[in-house]
Amino acid sequence: MRESGDRRVGEHYLSPINSGEFHEAGIVSRLRHLSVLAVVLLAAFLTALDNSVVHIALPQMREALGLSDADLKWVAAVYPLALASFLLLGGQLTDAMGRRWTLLTGLAVFTAASVGCALSASGVMLVCWRGLQGLGAAFILPSSLAILSHDLPHRARTAGLGATMATLAFALACGPVISGVVTQHLGWEWLFVLNVPLGLSSLLIGYATVPRTSVFRGVGTRRGSTAVPLPVVALSCLSFAAIVYSLIEGPTYGFTAPRVVIAGAVAAAGAVGVFIAMTYRPTPALRTLFAERAFTGGLITQLLWGLGVSGVYFYTSQFLQNGLRLSPTSAGLTFVPVASALLLTAPFVTGLTRRWGDGGVCGGGLLLVALGLLLVALGSLGGDLVDLLPGLVAVGVGSALALPLTTRALESSPGHLSGFAAGLFSATRELSGVFGIAFVGAIVTFVQRASASDGVPPVDAFVSGYQVGLCIAAALAGAGAPVAVWALRRHVCGRECCCRPRASTAGRQD
Protein backbone atom coordinates (compact mmCIF):
# COMPACT_ATOMS: atom_id res chain seq x y z
CA MET A 1 0.00 0.00 0.00
CA ARG A 2 1.17 3.51 -0.83
CA GLU A 3 0.79 6.28 1.70
CA SER A 4 -2.60 7.94 1.70
CA GLY A 5 -1.07 11.23 0.59
CA ASP A 6 0.01 9.71 -2.71
CA ARG A 7 -2.20 9.43 -5.76
CA ARG A 8 -1.90 7.36 -8.94
CA VAL A 9 -1.57 8.87 -12.41
CA GLY A 10 -1.43 6.19 -15.12
CA GLU A 11 1.23 3.76 -13.91
CA HIS A 12 3.17 6.33 -11.86
CA TYR A 13 2.82 7.41 -8.25
CA LEU A 14 3.21 11.13 -7.63
CA SER A 15 3.45 12.74 -4.24
CA PRO A 16 1.38 15.90 -3.61
CA ILE A 17 4.54 18.02 -4.07
CA ASN A 18 5.46 16.29 -7.33
CA SER A 19 1.86 16.58 -8.51
CA GLY A 20 1.97 20.32 -7.96
CA GLU A 21 5.23 20.57 -9.84
CA PHE A 22 3.74 18.53 -12.69
CA HIS A 23 0.73 20.88 -12.87
CA GLU A 24 2.99 23.93 -12.77
CA ALA A 25 5.11 22.52 -15.58
CA GLY A 26 1.99 21.99 -17.65
CA ILE A 27 0.96 25.62 -17.17
CA VAL A 28 4.45 26.83 -18.13
CA SER A 29 4.37 24.62 -21.23
CA ARG A 30 1.00 26.00 -22.33
CA LEU A 31 2.20 29.56 -21.78
CA ARG A 32 5.27 28.84 -23.88
CA HIS A 33 3.12 27.42 -26.68
CA LEU A 34 0.85 30.46 -26.58
CA SER A 35 3.89 32.74 -26.68
CA VAL A 36 5.30 30.88 -29.68
CA LEU A 37 1.96 31.16 -31.45
CA ALA A 38 1.78 34.88 -30.65
CA VAL A 39 5.25 35.44 -32.16
CA VAL A 40 4.30 33.57 -35.32
CA LEU A 41 1.01 35.45 -35.74
CA LEU A 42 2.63 38.84 -35.12
CA ALA A 43 5.47 38.10 -37.54
CA ALA A 44 3.00 36.90 -40.18
CA PHE A 45 0.90 40.03 -39.68
CA LEU A 46 3.93 42.31 -40.14
CA THR A 47 5.14 40.65 -43.33
CA ALA A 48 1.67 40.55 -44.91
CA LEU A 49 0.81 44.09 -43.84
CA ASP A 50 3.79 45.56 -45.66
CA ASN A 51 2.54 43.91 -48.84
CA SER A 52 -0.59 46.07 -48.96
CA VAL A 53 0.04 48.98 -46.61
CA VAL A 54 1.83 51.16 -49.20
CA HIS A 55 -0.95 51.13 -51.79
CA ILE A 56 -3.04 53.91 -50.27
CA ALA A 57 0.09 55.96 -49.50
CA LEU A 58 1.43 55.91 -53.08
CA PRO A 59 -0.04 59.31 -54.10
CA GLN A 60 1.56 60.92 -51.03
CA MET A 61 4.87 59.17 -51.71
CA ARG A 62 4.75 60.41 -55.31
CA GLU A 63 4.28 64.00 -54.13
CA ALA A 64 6.91 63.85 -51.36
CA LEU A 65 9.64 62.02 -53.30
CA GLY A 66 8.81 63.04 -56.88
CA LEU A 67 8.10 59.49 -58.10
CA SER A 68 7.07 58.56 -61.65
CA ASP A 69 4.47 55.92 -62.56
CA ALA A 70 7.21 53.31 -62.98
CA ASP A 71 8.72 54.33 -59.61
CA LEU A 72 5.36 53.77 -57.93
CA LYS A 73 5.14 50.27 -59.38
CA TRP A 74 8.66 49.50 -58.14
CA VAL A 75 7.86 50.71 -54.62
CA ALA A 76 4.87 48.37 -54.55
CA ALA A 77 6.49 45.45 -56.39
CA VAL A 78 10.06 45.29 -55.03
CA TYR A 79 8.97 44.02 -51.60
CA PRO A 80 7.02 40.98 -52.83
CA LEU A 81 9.65 40.44 -55.56
CA ALA A 82 12.50 40.24 -53.03
CA LEU A 83 10.32 38.20 -50.71
CA ALA A 84 9.47 35.67 -53.40
CA SER A 85 13.03 35.55 -54.74
CA PHE A 86 14.59 34.64 -51.40
CA LEU A 87 11.84 32.45 -49.97
CA LEU A 88 13.41 29.25 -51.28
CA LEU A 89 16.67 30.25 -49.60
CA GLY A 90 14.75 31.04 -46.43
CA GLY A 91 13.09 27.62 -46.56
CA GLN A 92 16.44 25.87 -46.98
CA LEU A 93 17.98 27.82 -44.11
CA THR A 94 14.99 26.89 -41.96
CA ASP A 95 15.73 23.21 -42.48
CA ALA A 96 19.53 23.57 -42.30
CA MET A 97 20.16 26.27 -39.63
CA GLY A 98 17.07 25.83 -37.52
CA ARG A 99 13.68 27.47 -37.31
CA ARG A 100 14.60 29.69 -34.35
CA TRP A 101 17.76 31.12 -35.94
CA THR A 102 16.03 31.83 -39.26
CA LEU A 103 13.02 33.50 -37.62
CA LEU A 104 15.07 35.77 -35.36
CA THR A 105 17.43 36.74 -38.19
CA GLY A 106 14.50 37.61 -40.41
CA LEU A 107 12.85 39.72 -37.73
CA ALA A 108 16.09 41.65 -37.12
CA VAL A 109 16.60 42.39 -40.83
CA PHE A 110 12.95 43.34 -41.35
CA THR A 111 12.93 45.74 -38.38
CA ALA A 112 16.19 47.43 -39.41
CA ALA A 113 14.95 47.83 -42.99
CA SER A 114 11.73 49.43 -41.72
CA VAL A 115 13.81 52.14 -40.08
CA GLY A 116 15.60 52.70 -43.40
CA CYS A 117 12.28 53.02 -45.24
CA ALA A 118 11.03 55.64 -42.80
CA LEU A 119 14.21 57.70 -43.27
CA SER A 120 14.31 57.44 -47.08
CA ALA A 121 14.75 60.75 -48.88
CA SER A 122 14.46 59.50 -52.47
CA GLY A 123 12.68 56.88 -54.49
CA VAL A 124 15.88 54.87 -54.98
CA MET A 125 16.51 54.69 -51.25
CA LEU A 126 12.93 53.65 -50.56
CA VAL A 127 13.04 50.90 -53.20
CA CYS A 128 16.35 49.55 -51.81
CA TRP A 129 15.12 49.45 -48.21
CA ARG A 130 11.83 47.88 -49.31
CA GLY A 131 13.83 45.17 -51.03
CA LEU A 132 15.75 44.52 -47.80
CA GLN A 133 12.42 44.27 -45.99
CA GLY A 134 11.45 41.57 -48.45
CA LEU A 135 14.67 39.67 -47.67
CA GLY A 136 13.84 39.69 -43.95
CA ALA A 137 10.29 38.59 -44.63
CA ALA A 138 11.63 35.72 -46.79
CA PHE A 139 13.34 34.34 -43.68
CA ILE A 140 10.31 34.93 -41.44
CA LEU A 141 7.55 33.21 -43.42
CA PRO A 142 8.94 29.68 -43.94
CA SER A 143 10.46 29.51 -40.46
CA SER A 144 7.21 30.62 -38.79
CA LEU A 145 5.13 28.10 -40.75
CA ALA A 146 7.64 25.35 -39.90
CA ILE A 147 7.48 26.32 -36.21
CA LEU A 148 3.72 25.86 -36.32
CA SER A 149 4.17 22.40 -37.79
CA HIS A 150 6.84 21.14 -35.38
CA ASP A 151 7.12 23.26 -32.23
CA LEU A 152 3.48 23.15 -31.17
CA PRO A 153 1.43 20.17 -29.90
CA HIS A 154 -0.39 18.17 -32.54
CA ARG A 155 -3.84 19.44 -31.52
CA ALA A 156 -2.69 23.06 -31.76
CA ARG A 157 -1.20 22.76 -35.24
CA THR A 158 -4.37 22.89 -37.30
CA ALA A 159 -5.74 25.75 -35.24
CA GLY A 160 -2.40 27.55 -35.50
CA LEU A 161 -2.22 27.14 -39.27
CA GLY A 162 -5.80 28.35 -39.62
CA ALA A 163 -5.08 31.35 -37.40
CA THR A 164 -1.97 32.16 -39.44
CA MET A 165 -3.80 32.00 -42.77
CA ALA A 166 -6.57 34.18 -41.34
CA THR A 167 -3.96 36.63 -40.04
CA LEU A 168 -2.32 36.86 -43.46
CA ALA A 169 -5.67 37.46 -45.14
CA PHE A 170 -6.74 39.95 -42.47
CA ALA A 171 -3.49 41.92 -42.88
CA LEU A 172 -3.99 42.02 -46.64
CA ALA A 173 -7.53 43.31 -46.22
CA CYS A 174 -6.81 45.78 -43.40
CA GLY A 175 -3.59 47.16 -44.85
CA PRO A 176 -5.39 49.87 -46.86
CA VAL A 177 -7.42 50.91 -43.79
CA ILE A 178 -4.35 51.29 -41.59
CA SER A 179 -2.48 52.99 -44.41
CA GLY A 180 -5.23 55.53 -45.02
CA VAL A 181 -5.55 56.61 -41.38
CA VAL A 182 -1.79 56.75 -40.73
CA THR A 183 -0.94 58.49 -44.00
CA GLN A 184 -3.54 61.21 -43.65
CA HIS A 185 -2.92 62.02 -39.99
CA LEU A 186 0.76 61.15 -39.41
CA GLY A 187 2.47 60.83 -42.80
CA TRP A 188 3.55 57.89 -44.95
CA GLU A 189 6.84 57.50 -43.04
CA TRP A 190 4.91 56.31 -39.98
CA LEU A 191 3.73 53.25 -41.88
CA PHE A 192 7.27 51.93 -41.43
CA VAL A 193 7.93 53.45 -38.00
CA LEU A 194 5.07 51.38 -36.58
CA ASN A 195 6.89 48.21 -37.63
CA VAL A 196 9.76 48.91 -35.25
CA PRO A 197 8.10 48.31 -31.83
CA LEU A 198 6.16 45.34 -33.22
CA GLY A 199 9.29 43.85 -34.74
CA LEU A 200 11.35 44.34 -31.58
CA SER A 201 8.61 42.78 -29.43
CA SER A 202 8.46 39.74 -31.72
CA LEU A 203 12.24 39.45 -31.63
CA LEU A 204 12.44 39.49 -27.83
CA ILE A 205 9.52 37.11 -27.25
CA GLY A 206 10.80 34.76 -29.94
CA TYR A 207 14.29 34.74 -28.43
CA ALA A 208 12.81 33.77 -25.06
CA THR A 209 10.22 31.19 -26.12
CA VAL A 210 11.03 29.50 -29.45
CA PRO A 211 12.95 26.24 -28.75
CA ARG A 212 16.65 26.29 -29.51
CA THR A 213 16.80 22.73 -30.84
CA SER A 214 14.73 23.46 -33.94
CA VAL A 215 16.83 21.76 -36.64
CA PHE A 216 14.98 18.81 -38.13
CA ARG A 217 17.34 15.85 -38.00
CA GLY A 218 15.37 13.31 -39.98
CA VAL A 219 16.47 11.46 -43.04
CA GLY A 220 15.51 14.35 -45.25
CA THR A 221 18.38 16.50 -44.07
CA ARG A 222 21.06 14.56 -45.91
CA ARG A 223 23.07 16.67 -48.26
CA GLY A 224 21.23 17.36 -51.48
CA SER A 225 17.94 15.81 -50.36
CA THR A 226 16.06 18.97 -49.49
CA ALA A 227 17.83 21.86 -51.19
CA VAL A 228 17.42 23.26 -54.65
CA PRO A 229 20.98 24.07 -55.84
CA LEU A 230 21.90 27.69 -55.22
CA PRO A 231 22.73 28.38 -58.91
CA VAL A 232 19.18 27.33 -59.80
CA VAL A 233 17.78 29.64 -57.12
CA ALA A 234 19.96 32.48 -58.44
CA LEU A 235 18.81 31.89 -62.02
CA SER A 236 15.18 31.85 -60.86
CA CYS A 237 15.61 35.15 -59.03
CA LEU A 238 17.26 36.73 -62.08
CA SER A 239 14.52 35.50 -64.39
CA PHE A 240 11.73 36.74 -62.10
CA ALA A 241 13.34 40.18 -61.73
CA ALA A 242 13.84 40.51 -65.50
CA ILE A 243 10.23 39.60 -66.25
CA VAL A 244 8.92 42.11 -63.73
CA TYR A 245 11.25 44.80 -65.09
CA SER A 246 9.93 44.20 -68.61
CA LEU A 247 6.29 44.42 -67.51
CA ILE A 248 6.83 47.54 -65.39
CA GLU A 249 9.11 49.53 -67.70
CA GLY A 250 7.54 48.31 -70.97
CA PRO A 251 4.50 50.63 -70.85
CA THR A 252 6.81 53.60 -70.12
CA TYR A 253 9.59 53.08 -72.68
CA GLY A 254 7.81 50.72 -75.08
CA PHE A 255 8.15 46.96 -75.28
CA THR A 256 10.55 47.31 -78.24
CA ALA A 257 12.95 49.58 -76.36
CA PRO A 258 16.47 48.09 -76.03
CA ARG A 259 16.39 47.95 -72.23
CA VAL A 260 13.06 46.11 -72.23
CA VAL A 261 14.13 43.70 -74.97
CA ILE A 262 17.36 42.91 -73.11
CA ALA A 263 15.43 42.28 -69.89
CA GLY A 264 13.07 39.96 -71.75
CA ALA A 265 16.02 38.06 -73.23
CA VAL A 266 17.59 37.69 -69.77
CA ALA A 267 14.30 36.39 -68.39
CA ALA A 268 13.98 33.84 -71.18
CA ALA A 269 17.60 32.71 -70.80
CA GLY A 270 17.18 32.31 -67.05
CA ALA A 271 13.98 30.31 -67.45
CA VAL A 272 15.66 28.00 -70.00
CA GLY A 273 18.61 27.55 -67.66
CA VAL A 274 16.35 26.59 -64.76
CA PHE A 275 14.42 24.15 -66.96
CA ILE A 276 17.59 22.45 -68.20
CA ALA A 277 19.09 22.23 -64.72
CA MET A 278 15.93 20.75 -63.20
CA THR A 279 15.46 18.34 -66.11
CA TYR A 280 18.93 16.82 -66.10
CA ARG A 281 19.50 17.01 -62.36
CA PRO A 282 16.03 16.66 -60.81
CA THR A 283 15.70 17.59 -57.15
CA PRO A 284 14.24 14.90 -54.86
CA ALA A 285 12.51 17.56 -52.76
CA LEU A 286 10.57 18.89 -55.73
CA ARG A 287 9.65 15.40 -56.92
CA THR A 288 8.33 14.57 -53.46
CA LEU A 289 6.27 17.74 -53.14
CA PHE A 290 4.82 17.83 -56.64
CA ALA A 291 3.76 14.21 -56.30
CA GLU A 292 1.16 15.51 -53.83
CA ARG A 293 -1.92 16.64 -55.74
CA ALA A 294 -2.99 19.04 -52.98
CA PHE A 295 0.36 20.80 -53.02
CA THR A 296 0.59 21.10 -56.81
CA GLY A 297 -2.99 22.27 -57.15
CA GLY A 298 -2.51 24.70 -54.28
CA LEU A 299 0.46 26.32 -56.03
CA ILE A 300 -1.43 26.72 -59.31
CA THR A 301 -4.54 28.10 -57.63
CA GLN A 302 -2.53 30.49 -55.45
CA LEU A 303 -0.80 31.81 -58.57
CA LEU A 304 -4.08 32.46 -60.39
CA TRP A 305 -5.72 34.09 -57.34
CA GLY A 306 -2.74 36.36 -56.71
CA LEU A 307 -2.44 37.41 -60.35
CA GLY A 308 -5.97 38.75 -60.20
CA VAL A 309 -6.52 40.08 -56.70
CA SER A 310 -3.09 41.66 -56.05
CA GLY A 311 -3.18 43.83 -59.15
CA VAL A 312 -6.71 44.90 -58.33
CA TYR A 313 -5.67 46.05 -54.83
CA PHE A 314 -2.92 48.20 -56.32
CA TYR A 315 -5.17 49.98 -58.81
CA THR A 316 -8.32 50.12 -56.71
CA SER A 317 -6.55 52.33 -54.17
CA GLN A 318 -5.59 54.73 -56.97
CA PHE A 319 -9.09 54.62 -58.47
CA LEU A 320 -10.64 55.55 -55.12
CA GLN A 321 -8.36 58.57 -54.66
CA ASN A 322 -7.90 59.73 -58.25
CA GLY A 323 -11.23 58.65 -59.72
CA LEU A 324 -13.64 59.15 -56.81
CA ARG A 325 -11.54 61.89 -55.13
CA LEU A 326 -11.58 60.19 -51.70
CA SER A 327 -9.15 61.07 -48.93
CA PRO A 328 -6.57 58.43 -47.89
CA THR A 329 -8.62 57.56 -44.79
CA SER A 330 -11.86 57.21 -46.73
CA ALA A 331 -10.14 55.16 -49.42
CA GLY A 332 -8.69 52.85 -46.78
CA LEU A 333 -12.03 52.44 -45.04
CA THR A 334 -13.52 51.34 -48.34
CA PHE A 335 -11.71 48.02 -47.88
CA VAL A 336 -13.37 47.39 -44.48
CA PRO A 337 -16.16 45.34 -46.13
CA VAL A 338 -13.50 42.98 -47.51
CA ALA A 339 -11.94 42.43 -44.08
CA SER A 340 -15.30 42.21 -42.31
CA ALA A 341 -16.70 39.69 -44.77
CA LEU A 342 -13.55 37.59 -44.50
CA LEU A 343 -13.57 37.55 -40.69
CA LEU A 344 -17.29 36.83 -40.43
CA THR A 345 -17.09 33.99 -42.95
CA ALA A 346 -13.91 32.29 -41.67
CA PRO A 347 -15.52 30.61 -38.59
CA PHE A 348 -18.04 28.80 -40.82
CA VAL A 349 -15.50 27.44 -43.30
CA THR A 350 -14.71 24.30 -41.28
CA GLY A 351 -18.37 23.30 -41.09
CA LEU A 352 -18.87 23.97 -44.78
CA THR A 353 -15.89 21.79 -45.72
CA ARG A 354 -17.30 18.89 -43.65
CA ARG A 355 -20.54 19.10 -45.58
CA TRP A 356 -19.39 19.97 -49.08
CA GLY A 357 -15.72 18.98 -49.09
CA ASP A 358 -12.60 21.12 -49.30
CA GLY A 359 -12.60 21.15 -53.09
CA GLY A 360 -16.20 22.29 -53.44
CA VAL A 361 -15.84 25.07 -50.86
CA CYS A 362 -12.54 26.38 -52.26
CA GLY A 363 -13.79 26.20 -55.85
CA GLY A 364 -16.96 28.05 -54.92
CA GLY A 365 -14.90 30.66 -53.07
CA LEU A 366 -12.75 31.37 -56.13
CA LEU A 367 -15.83 31.70 -58.33
CA LEU A 368 -17.25 34.14 -55.78
CA VAL A 369 -14.01 36.16 -55.92
CA ALA A 370 -14.31 36.31 -59.71
CA LEU A 371 -17.93 37.43 -59.43
CA GLY A 372 -16.94 40.09 -56.90
CA LEU A 373 -14.29 41.51 -59.22
CA LEU A 374 -16.84 41.75 -62.03
CA LEU A 375 -19.27 43.49 -59.67
CA VAL A 376 -16.56 46.01 -58.72
CA ALA A 377 -15.95 46.68 -62.43
CA LEU A 378 -19.68 47.19 -62.92
CA GLY A 379 -19.93 49.40 -59.84
CA SER A 380 -17.08 51.63 -61.02
CA LEU A 381 -19.27 52.70 -63.94
CA GLY A 382 -21.65 54.42 -61.52
CA GLY A 383 -18.93 56.57 -59.95
CA ASP A 384 -20.35 56.04 -56.44
CA LEU A 385 -18.74 54.25 -53.52
CA VAL A 386 -21.94 52.40 -52.63
CA ASP A 387 -21.91 50.69 -56.03
CA LEU A 388 -18.59 49.01 -55.14
CA LEU A 389 -19.72 47.44 -51.85
CA PRO A 390 -21.42 44.26 -53.20
CA GLY A 391 -18.33 43.34 -55.16
CA LEU A 392 -15.96 44.02 -52.25
CA VAL A 393 -18.07 41.89 -49.90
CA ALA A 394 -18.08 39.04 -52.44
CA VAL A 395 -14.28 39.19 -52.72
CA GLY A 396 -13.95 38.97 -48.92
CA VAL A 397 -16.34 36.02 -48.57
CA GLY A 398 -14.76 34.18 -51.48
CA SER A 399 -11.24 34.66 -50.13
CA ALA A 400 -12.30 33.22 -46.77
CA LEU A 401 -13.81 30.16 -48.46
CA ALA A 402 -10.51 29.57 -50.28
CA LEU A 403 -8.43 29.39 -47.06
CA PRO A 404 -8.56 25.56 -46.69
CA LEU A 405 -6.58 25.22 -49.90
CA THR A 406 -3.47 26.68 -48.24
CA THR A 407 -3.89 24.57 -45.12
CA ARG A 408 -4.28 21.32 -47.05
CA ALA A 409 -1.35 22.13 -49.33
CA LEU A 410 1.00 22.66 -46.39
CA GLU A 411 -0.30 19.60 -44.54
CA SER A 412 0.46 17.43 -47.55
CA SER A 413 4.22 18.07 -47.34
CA PRO A 414 6.47 15.65 -45.39
CA GLY A 415 7.86 16.92 -42.11
CA HIS A 416 11.51 17.01 -43.23
CA LEU A 417 10.51 19.32 -46.12
CA SER A 418 8.25 21.61 -44.07
CA GLY A 419 10.48 24.67 -44.34
CA PHE A 420 11.18 24.20 -48.05
CA ALA A 421 7.49 23.54 -48.80
CA ALA A 422 6.40 26.62 -46.87
CA GLY A 423 9.03 28.69 -48.67
CA LEU A 424 7.96 27.43 -52.11
CA PHE A 425 4.27 27.99 -51.40
CA SER A 426 4.88 31.47 -49.98
CA ALA A 427 7.14 32.31 -52.95
CA THR A 428 4.33 31.43 -55.33
CA ARG A 429 1.92 33.66 -53.42
CA GLU A 430 4.30 36.62 -53.45
CA LEU A 431 5.32 36.18 -57.07
CA SER A 432 1.68 36.09 -58.07
CA GLY A 433 1.30 39.47 -56.36
CA VAL A 434 4.28 40.91 -58.22
CA PHE A 435 3.11 39.62 -61.59
CA GLY A 436 -0.42 40.72 -60.77
CA ILE A 437 0.73 44.32 -60.29
CA ALA A 438 2.91 44.20 -63.40
CA PHE A 439 0.53 42.25 -65.65
CA VAL A 440 -2.70 44.03 -64.71
CA GLY A 441 -0.72 47.27 -64.71
CA ALA A 442 0.42 46.72 -68.29
CA ILE A 443 -3.20 46.15 -69.34
CA VAL A 444 -4.42 49.23 -67.46
CA THR A 445 -1.68 51.40 -68.95
CA PHE A 446 -2.28 50.12 -72.50
CA VAL A 447 -6.04 50.74 -72.38
CA GLN A 448 -5.56 54.06 -70.61
CA ARG A 449 -3.20 55.35 -73.30
CA ALA A 450 -5.41 54.06 -76.10
CA SER A 451 -8.40 55.87 -74.59
CA ALA A 452 -6.41 59.05 -74.04
CA SER A 453 -5.28 59.04 -77.69
CA ASP A 454 -8.96 59.02 -78.68
CA GLY A 455 -9.56 62.23 -76.73
CA VAL A 456 -10.93 60.70 -73.52
CA PRO A 457 -10.20 62.81 -70.40
CA PRO A 458 -7.31 61.42 -68.27
CA VAL A 459 -9.48 60.32 -65.33
CA ASP A 460 -12.00 58.56 -67.58
CA ALA A 461 -9.15 56.93 -69.51
CA PHE A 462 -7.72 55.53 -66.29
CA VAL A 463 -11.15 54.21 -65.27
CA SER A 464 -11.48 52.46 -68.63
CA GLY A 465 -8.15 50.72 -68.14
CA TYR A 466 -9.06 49.86 -64.55
CA GLN A 467 -12.30 48.20 -65.65
CA VAL A 468 -10.58 46.07 -68.28
CA GLY A 469 -7.99 45.06 -65.67
CA LEU A 470 -10.77 43.97 -63.32
CA CYS A 471 -12.31 41.75 -66.00
CA ILE A 472 -8.95 40.08 -66.71
CA ALA A 473 -8.41 39.58 -62.97
CA ALA A 474 -11.86 37.99 -62.65
CA ALA A 475 -11.04 35.52 -65.44
CA LEU A 476 -7.79 34.52 -63.70
CA ALA A 477 -9.48 33.97 -60.33
CA GLY A 478 -12.30 32.00 -61.92
CA ALA A 479 -9.81 29.75 -63.71
CA GLY A 480 -8.54 28.64 -60.32
CA ALA A 481 -11.90 27.10 -59.32
CA PRO A 482 -11.64 23.86 -61.35
CA VAL A 483 -8.00 23.49 -60.27
CA ALA A 484 -9.04 23.71 -56.62
CA VAL A 485 -11.75 21.07 -57.12
CA TRP A 486 -9.22 18.76 -58.80
CA ALA A 487 -6.58 19.28 -56.11
CA LEU A 488 -8.87 18.70 -53.14
CA ARG A 489 -11.41 16.27 -54.51
CA ARG A 490 -12.24 13.38 -52.22
CA HIS A 491 -14.43 10.32 -52.10
CA VAL A 492 -17.81 10.78 -50.47
CA CYS A 493 -17.47 8.49 -47.46
CA GLY A 494 -19.10 10.35 -44.60
CA ARG A 495 -15.91 10.37 -42.60
CA GLU A 496 -13.60 13.33 -42.46
CA CYS A 497 -10.33 11.60 -41.59
CA CYS A 498 -10.10 9.17 -44.50
CA CYS A 499 -10.13 11.99 -47.05
CA ARG A 500 -6.96 13.67 -45.85
CA PRO A 501 -3.81 13.44 -48.01
CA ARG A 502 -1.64 10.41 -47.29
CA ALA A 503 1.47 12.45 -46.61
CA SER A 504 -0.16 14.89 -44.24
CA THR A 505 1.53 13.38 -41.20
CA ALA A 506 4.40 11.56 -42.85
CA GLY A 507 7.77 12.36 -41.42
CA ARG A 508 6.51 14.86 -38.87
CA GLN A 509 8.37 15.38 -35.65
CA ASP A 510 6.76 16.66 -32.50
Side-chain angles (χ1 to χ4, degrees):
M1 290 284 293
R2 295 284 180 180
E3 295 180 2
S4 59
D6 296 344
R7 66 184 180 91
R8 189 166 183 162
V9 179
E11 297 296 328
H12 304 281
Y13 290 95
L14 299 175
S15 68
I17 296 179
N18 290 335
S19 175
E21 292 175 351
F22 179 79
H23 180 67
E24 182 179 353
I27 294 177
V28 172
S29 178
R30 285 193 293 271
L31 289 176
R32 175 182 287 273
H33 293 153
L34 289 175
S35 299
V36 170
L37 181 59
V39 170
V40 170
L41 293 180
L42 184 56
F45 181 78
L46 281 174
T47 56
L49 187 67
D50 265 56
N51 229 343
S52 60
V53 76
V54 301
H55 293 165
I56 295 294
L58 288 176
Q60 287 69 33
M61 291 179 179
R62 180 204 291 270
E63 182 178 352
L65 303 178
L67 305 180
S68 64
D69 289 339
D71 294 333
L72 288 179
K73 294 179 185 177
W74 277 116
V75 170
V78 69
Y79 174 82
L81 177 62
L83 174 54
S85 299
F86 291 102
L87 268 170
L88 292 181
L89 177 62
Q92 294 183 43
L93 288 176
T94 298
D95 294 329
M97 300 295 294
R99 300 183 282 275
R100 181 177 186 270
W101 182 90
T102 309
L103 176 65
L104 297 182
T105 301
L107 285 170
V109 172
F110 184 89
T111 304
S114 297
V115 176
C117 289
L119 299 177
S120 296
S122 67
V124 174
M125 290 180 61
L126 181 58
V127 169
C128 291
W129 285 115
R130 286 274 292 166
L132 192 59
Q133 269 191 319
L135 173 63
F139 287 13
I140 292 173
L141 279 179
S143 58
S144 61
L145 290 175
I147 285 171
L148 284 177
S149 299
H150 297 286
D151 293 323
L152 288 178
H154 178 73
R155 288 185 298 178
R157 290 175 189 168
T158 301
L161 281 172
T164 302
M165 295 304 108
T167 299
L168 293 173
F170 179 73
L172 179 65
C174 289
V177 181
I178 298 173
S179 177
V181 175
V182 172
T183 300
Q184 182 171 350
H185 298 286
L186 297 176
W188 65 266
E189 299 90 343
W190 281 88
L191 295 174
F192 304 105
V193 173
L194 294 177
N195 289 338
V196 177
L198 297 177
L200 290 176
S201 300
S202 302
L203 191 63
L204 293 176
I205 300 174
Y207 181 82
T209 60
V210 176
R212 293 179 180 273
T213 55
S214 293
V215 179
F216 191 95
R217 303 191 183 278
V219 296
T221 57
R222 291 192 302 269
R223 183 177 180 180
S225 63
T226 62
V228 173
L230 288 180
V232 176
V233 176
L235 278 177
S236 301
C237 297
L238 181 63
S239 182
F240 292 149
I243 293 173
V244 173
Y245 181 88
S246 300
L247 291 174
I248 289 179
E249 299 293 349
T252 301
Y253 297 101
F255 286 97
T256 58
R259 66 176 68 188
V260 179
V261 173
I262 292 173
V266 170
V272 171
V274 171
F275 177 78
I276 293 174
M278 300 307 293
T279 300
Y280 288 95
R281 297 189 64 182
T283 303
L286 292 180
R287 283 204 307 264
T288 301
L289 290 175
F290 285 116
E292 295 295 334
R293 188 177 61 198
F295 189 83
T296 303
L299 286 182
I300 298 173
T301 307
Q302 181 64 63
L303 178 64
L304 292 171
W305 181 88
L307 281 172
V309 176
S310 298
V312 167
Y313 262 92
F314 178 80
Y315 285 98
T316 298
S317 62
Q318 297 186 50
F319 167 73
L320 293 173
Q321 295 182 74
N322 299 332
L324 299 185
R325 302 298 180 184
L326 298 180
S327 66
T329 300
S330 299
L333 291 174
T334 303
F335 290 92
V336 168
V338 180
S340 300
L342 190 151
L343 291 177
L344 292 175
T345 306
F348 301 98
V349 173
T350 301
L352 292 174
T353 55
R354 289 198 188 102
R355 180 175 179 84
W356 304 106
D358 293 331
V361 172
C362 292
L366 290 168
L367 289 177
L368 192 57
V369 170
L371 175 62
L373 295 175
L374 292 176
L375 290 176
V376 172
L378 184 63
S380 63
L381 294 173
D384 195 339
L385 184 59
V386 177
D387 298 328
L388 304 178
L389 294 182
L392 295 174
V393 171
V395 170
V397 174
S399 298
L401 295 177
L403 286 177
L405 187 68
T406 302
T407 304
R408 297 294 174 261
L410 293 176
E411 286 180 348
S412 68
S413 63
H416 66 279
L417 295 177
S418 61
F420 181 79
L424 184 59
F425 196 88
S426 300
T428 302
R429 180 179 62 240
E430 300 305 327
L431 277 177
S432 69
V434 175
F435 289 130
I437 293 173
F439 176 68
V440 176
I443 294 173
V444 171
T445 302
F446 177 79
V447 176
Q448 180 181 3
R449 291 186 175 180
S451 301
S453 64
D454 292 336
V456 178
V459 174
D460 294 336
F462 172 78
V463 173
S464 299
Y466 170 66
Q467 291 168 348
V468 174
L470 281 169
C471 294
I472 299 296
L476 291 170
V483 180
V485 174
W486 165 79
L488 300 179
R489 73 176 187 267
R490 68 181 188 180
H491 300 292
V492 180
C493 59
R495 289 179 296 174
E496 182 183 8
C497 60
C498 67
C499 304
R500 296 292 178 87
R502 284 188 301 108
S504 61
T505 57
R508 294 196 181 278
Q509 174 179 326
D510 290 332

